[in-house]
Amino acid sequence: MLDGITLGQYVPTESPIHNLDPRTKIISSVLLIVVLFLVEGFQGYLLIGLGILGIIAAARLPLGFVLKGLRPLRLILLITLLLHLFMTEGREIARLGPLVVTYEGFNKGVLMTLRLGLLVLATSLLTLTTSPIRLTDGLEDLLNPFKRVGLPAHELAMMMTIALRFIPTLFEETEKIMKAQKARGADFESGKLSQRAKNLVPLLVPLFVSAFRRADELAIAMEARCYRGGEGRTKLHTLQMTRADYLAILLLTAGVIVIAVVF
Amino acid sequence: MSRLLEVRDLTHSYLTRTGEEVEALRKVSLEVGAGEFVAIVGHNGSGKSTLAKHLNALLLPSTGVVFVDGLDTSVPENLWEVRQRVGMVFQNPDNQLVATTVEEDVAFGPENLGVPSAEIRKRVDEALAVVEMSEFATRPPHNLSGGQKQRVAIAGVLAMRPKCIVLDEPTAMLDPKGRQEVLRTVQRLNAEESMTVVWITHFMNEAAQADRVLVMQEGRIAIEGSPRQVFSRVEELKELHLDVPQVTELAFLLNKAGLPVSPELLCEEELVSILVDKLAG
């Protein structure tokens, strides 16, 4: 069903970027996002773009594959470009009937599209090079300090883990129910949109019922294995910051500061 | 043999949604010795699962007491000690695996117990080796077969270093091959590591492998004894709408027809050799 979406799918290869601590990568992504919003100029974006290309190369990811991740967003990118192109006031450089293209609009449109594209690329790099488990571990650790203000860091991470664990299981189940309902004459493929949405009810109801039953059984199984929340819990895989991690963050921070100040 | 589990006069009742009180267990008493392999059989609604859930304090007695290794399960301070000592494996293999890889799932129990990372690593590797799933350590569990998933679930329990494993119909959703895998794994644990096993099932040929069989009916223990003793009571079992292993039934019928065949037979080879002897003689 969701085949062909490459945006953010983990690519398990060996590379220095893959081996970095997930916390390093999360912090780096945040830094990249911040600098993308600070910079307002082509030279800055050019440098950031080159930096991202460098990271892609270091992560040994096929460039085509990474760029393909932008495809589901092509419509949004196009609309952003067009809106800015035609809706900005300023010096006229071209006219298309009632639509006026301005110099300022052209500039802003290209910049905004670049910003959005680079934003998506930068964040997808995180999930492309980090397995979901490590990502969850990293998030939990980074959110831990916010526990004091009531943020349920461990619970959030546990929810993510369970969701990841059950997505394939529920997918399989969806297919099974679909086949069973088709065998009983259900039609999921034809008709108007409203009709098709209505036809999904006999699929969704059993799916939800079974998901709740699963949740109930899983909760009991977790309790039977002494689960009592994050308090006093240890981990099989502990996170370890290495020299490479500190170096990566240092380099990136330096780069970000330079770009933000100069441009 | 020292006593590991002790259930005395256990009654469990609960209210249904319509406000009726249902007695799922009525004055059940039972003891399980360390290293024993006990099978509990009975119909749906006979109370066998309810009994199982009392053995690691997932349910607490309405009246009566349950002791695990000398610990009273109804004392809140004992809760986690009890659950660590008695591991549970459930019927649905999908709904008891928590993590996205096999090894992370096996680690879940010890992680909850606060075991140090290096020790968890050791326990996970050992547990996976015992159930012969080491090569799948880094795989996601949803691609495994049912029997493999149940073996991972068993490993997850073993990693907590329990004294007893309670398996609540662990083979009900498996194909014959998976059933064999799981039964053999547990039998090996019982024989080689002298792990205490409580095996709940409605497959009589599985129950025949146990040291002792309990037959439950309407919240009570109806028949109790060695598999030979229990299954030789063919007529009583039939009254309870339970099957007996085919061999036992044949032996029983031969015995009833006047042939000198003991009705306490459990394996085909035994019966074959007796019949061959009789025919030759």
Side-chain angles (χ1 to χ4, degrees):
Chain A
M1 227 184 272
L2 289 172
D3 288 350
I5 294 185
T6 57
L7 178 64
Q9 215 177 63
Y10 176 54
V11 183
T13 49
E14 268 296 313
S15 85
I17 305 287
H18 282 72
N19 289 338
L20 286 177
D21 190 285
R23 289 169 294 183
T24 309
K25 286 185 269 189
I26 295 171
I27 294 171
S28 307
S29 300
V30 174
L31 279 175
L32 273 176
I33 292 170
V34 169
V35 75
L36 274 169
F37 278 103
L38 286 177
V39 172
E40 303 259 359
F42 284 109
Q43 295 100 322
Y45 282 148
L46 189 71
L47 275 179
I48 297 170
L50 282 176
I52 290 177
L53 279 180
I55 297 172
I56 294 175
R60 303 209 178 99
L61 293 167
L63 186 63
F65 181 82
V66 180
L67 292 177
K68 231 167 72 185
L70 286 174
R71 254 174 55 195
L73 292 155
R74 57 184 184 261
L75 205 62
I76 298 174
L77 292 176
L78 192 69
I79 291 173
T80 312
L81 180 65
L82 291 180
L83 276 180
H84 281 102
L85 208 55
F86 294 121
M87 307 297 275
T88 318
E89 309 237 321
R91 252 180 323 129
E92 180 180 324
I93 51 171
R95 186 178 273 274
L96 222 97
L99 296 169
V100 180
V101 180
T102 61
Y103 175 76
E104 285 79 9
F106 178 77
N107 246 341
K108 212 171 170 192
V110 173
L111 272 180
M112 278 303 185
T113 315
L114 263 178
R115 177 183 279 177
L116 210 60
L118 288 174
L119 208 65
V120 173
L121 278 186
T123 39
S124 73
L125 271 183
L126 172 65
T127 47
L128 281 165
T129 60
T130 319
S131 77
I133 310 171
R134 307 227 333 137
L135 197 59
T136 323
D137 284 350
L139 268 178
E140 180 178 359
D141 201 75
L142 285 175
L143 292 179
N144 252 338
F146 300 101
K147 257 190 196 158
R148 251 176 258 162
V149 292
L151 189 88
H154 166 74
E155 284 76 6
L156 282 174
M158 189 48 106
M159 273 161 59
M160 258 176 82
T161 309
I162 293 173
L164 287 168
R165 152 76 186 84
F166 277 92
I167 285 170
T169 308
L170 289 176
F171 246 10
E172 250 168 56
E173 184 146 43
T174 312
E175 271 169 19
K176 227 190 269 169
I177 298 173
M178 240 173 163
K179 278 183 195 151
Q181 301 290 38
K182 272 186 194 161
R184 290 168 176 76
D187 181 6
F188 297 115
E189 269 123 31
S190 54
K192 267 188 277 175
L193 194 64
S194 61
Q195 187 58 41
R196 265 202 276 178
K198 232 189 214 165
N199 288 351
L200 281 179
V201 172
L203 173 69
L204 292 177
V205 171
L207 191 64
F208 267 82
V209 170
S210 122
F212 276 111
R213 204 197 53 234
R214 280 182 194 282
D216 198 37
E217 282 182 25
L218 185 71
I220 293 175
M222 284 168 73
E223 267 195 51
R225 282 161 79 181
C226 291
Y227 180 69
R228 53 198 127 161
E231 211 59 51
R233 226 170 160 264
T234 47
K235 290 240 160 214
L236 170 63
H237 297 294
T238 44
L239 298 174
Q240 193 70 56
M241 294 287 272
T242 60
R243 205 181 296 163
D245 288 299
Y246 293 117
L247 198 68
I249 290 189
L250 206 72
L251 269 175
L252 201 81
T253 317
V256 161
I257 290 174
V258 168
I259 291 176
V261 168
V262 175
F263 304 100
Chain B
M1 193 155 45
S2 66
R3 250 189 337 223
L4 185 62
L5 305 175
E6 188 184 356
V7 177
R8 261 204 320 258
D9 294 327
L10 170 62
T11 301
H12 184 81
S13 46
Y14 61 91
L15 288 178
T16 60
R17 241 173 270 165
T18 50
E20 281 172 278
E21 194 173 313
V22 180
E23 277 203 319
L25 293 173
R26 305 168 190 199
K27 294 247 167 207
V28 172
S29 291
L30 119 106
E31 279 177 18
V32 178
E36 213 181 348
F37 191 137
V38 176
I40 302 179
V41 296
H43 259 286
N44 288 339
S46 62
K48 52 193 198 312
S49 277
T50 312
L51 177 59
K53 289 204 173 97
H54 277 87
L55 298 177
N56 77 341
L58 283 174
L59 290 175
L60 295 176
S62 301
T63 62
V65 274
V66 178
F67 286 106
V68 168
D69 207 12
L71 298 163
D72 185 343
T73 60
S74 63
V75 177
E77 289 77 51
N78 289 344
L79 183 64
W80 306 110
E81 290 273 306
V82 166
R83 290 198 180 151
Q84 184 264 317
R85 281 176 167 74
V86 178
M88 273 274 236
V89 175
F90 298 88
Q91 181 179 37
N92 191 324
D94 272 317
N95 298 352
Q96 53 185 320
L97 302 179
V98 190
T100 43
T101 62
V102 167
E103 60 175 13
E104 291 264 346
D105 189 81
V106 176
F108 183 72
E111 284 178 345
N112 291 333
L113 295 172
V115 174
S117 298
E119 170 72 12
I120 297 180
R121 180 79 259 168
K122 211 178 105 215
R123 289 191 184 190
V124 168
D125 292 341
E126 277 174 21
L128 282 175
V130 169
V131 300
E132 294 169 340
M133 288 294 290
S134 301
E135 57 187 301
F136 298 93
T138 54
R139 302 265 195 96
H142 67 266
N143 288 334
L144 304 177
S145 74
Q148 289 172 329
K149 283 182 203 166
Q150 284 302 52
R151 275 149 64 201
V152 171
I154 292 171
V157 164
L158 287 179
M160 296 171 70
R161 300 266 157 93
K163 298 198 165 176
C164 171
I165 303 187
V166 177
L167 304 102
D168 189 358
E169 301 205 44
T171 56
M173 296 179 74
L174 306 182
D175 56 11
K177 192 173 157 273
R179 285 210 285 272
Q180 268 302 316
E181 281 172 29
V182 175
L183 182 63
R184 225 181 302 127
T185 305
V186 173
Q187 277 180 310
R188 199 154 38 80
L189 272 173
N190 176 253
E192 288 169 15
E193 329 251 325
S194 41
M195 179 67 73
T196 314
V197 175
V198 177
W199 180 281
I200 293 166
T201 183
H202 57 251
F203 293 107
M204 295 303 149
N205 54 337
E206 288 175 9
Q209 311 292 320
D211 298 328
R212 190 148 58 98
V213 179
L214 305 173
V215 181
M216 292 202 59
Q217 169 75 4
E218 289 180 353
R220 290 195 180 84
I221 295 175
I223 312 176
E224 182 179 357
S226 73
R228 278 174 203 279
Q229 289 164 350
V230 169
F231 291 123
S232 65
R233 293 155 80 167
V234 175
E235 276 169 342
E236 276 174 77
L237 287 172
K238 291 240 149 152
E239 246 165 64
L240 298 175
H241 301 288
L242 290 168
D243 291 328
V244 274
Q246 217 182 7
V247 202
T248 319
E249 191 173 1
L250 179 58
F252 170 78
L253 289 173
L254 290 171
N255 178 280
K256 219 168 132 187
L259 268 90
V261 175
S262 156
E264 293 192 6
L265 280 178
L266 285 175
C267 76
E268 287 170 31
E269 284 80 23
E270 245 179 317
L271 182 62
V272 168
S273 78
I274 290 174
L275 290 178
V276 167
D277 278 355
K278 300 284 178 224
L279 289 173

